[in-house]
Amino acid sequence: MDPIGLAMSLHRALEAGESGSALRRFFTADAVTVEHPNLVKPPGARSSAEEMIANSEKGAELLSSQKYDVHSAVVSGSTAILRPTWTGVLRDGRQLVAHIAQFVDTRDGLISAIETFDCYEPF
């Protein structure tokens, strides 16, 4: 699968409510995620594949739904560069919106790294 298709498949799985071990099929064993500082994680974060899986379960507990609207996407080598708007609805009905620049590195048909710059709208 091409890098954009792989990134979009991950987005669709998250939108469908998948979390935890169900997401392993998208990632290399040594995958990492880098989140640059933002309103939700002011210091930013770096997570291993195992931490990503655990974090997805925590997110699923907090959210009743989430959606990725990808406005543009390009490929550079094995990297998909996407510009999505993410909308998450918390279980209490409040909505979070983030405008994102996302870089998804792939290797052997799997995601090896995700780097995100998340700009959240005011809560």
Side-chain angles (χ1 to χ4, degrees):
M1 183 178 301
D2 70 278
I4 292 174
L6 187 55
M8 298 287 280
S9 292
L10 174 61
H11 291 169
R12 299 293 91 80
L14 292 167
E15 290 175 342
E18 290 186 39
S19 65
S21 61
L23 299 176
R24 288 185 196 280
R25 72 184 187 278
F26 293 105
F27 298 100
T28 62
D30 62 344
V32 296
T33 295
V34 175
E35 295 175 73
H36 289 274
N38 60 66
L39 285 176
V40 172
K41 291 188 179 174
R46 182 180 179 88
S47 304
S48 68
E50 290 307 311
E51 291 167 325
M52 281 189 276
I53 297 301
N55 290 340
S56 73
E57 291 173 333
K58 290 175 187 172
E61 291 173 7
L62 294 173
L63 297 171
S64 62
S65 67
Q66 60 182 315
K67 175 120 179 79
Y68 290 85
D69 292 312
V70 178
H71 308 290
S72 62
V74 297
V75 172
S76 177
S78 60
T79 301
I81 304 163
L82 300 102
R83 189 176 56 86
T85 297
W86 173 83
T87 303
V89 179
L90 298 171
R91 297 219 177 260
D92 67 6
R94 290 181 294 158
Q95 182 173 285
L96 301 174
V97 177
H99 305 279
I100 301 170
Q102 187 175 62
F103 299 80
V104 180
D105 296 327
T106 63
R107 184 176 72 238
D108 300 326
L110 297 172
I111 296 169
S112 58
I114 300 174
E115 183 173 3
T116 65
F117 297 83
D118 304 337
C119 298
Y120 284 88
E121 292 184 2
F123 301 151

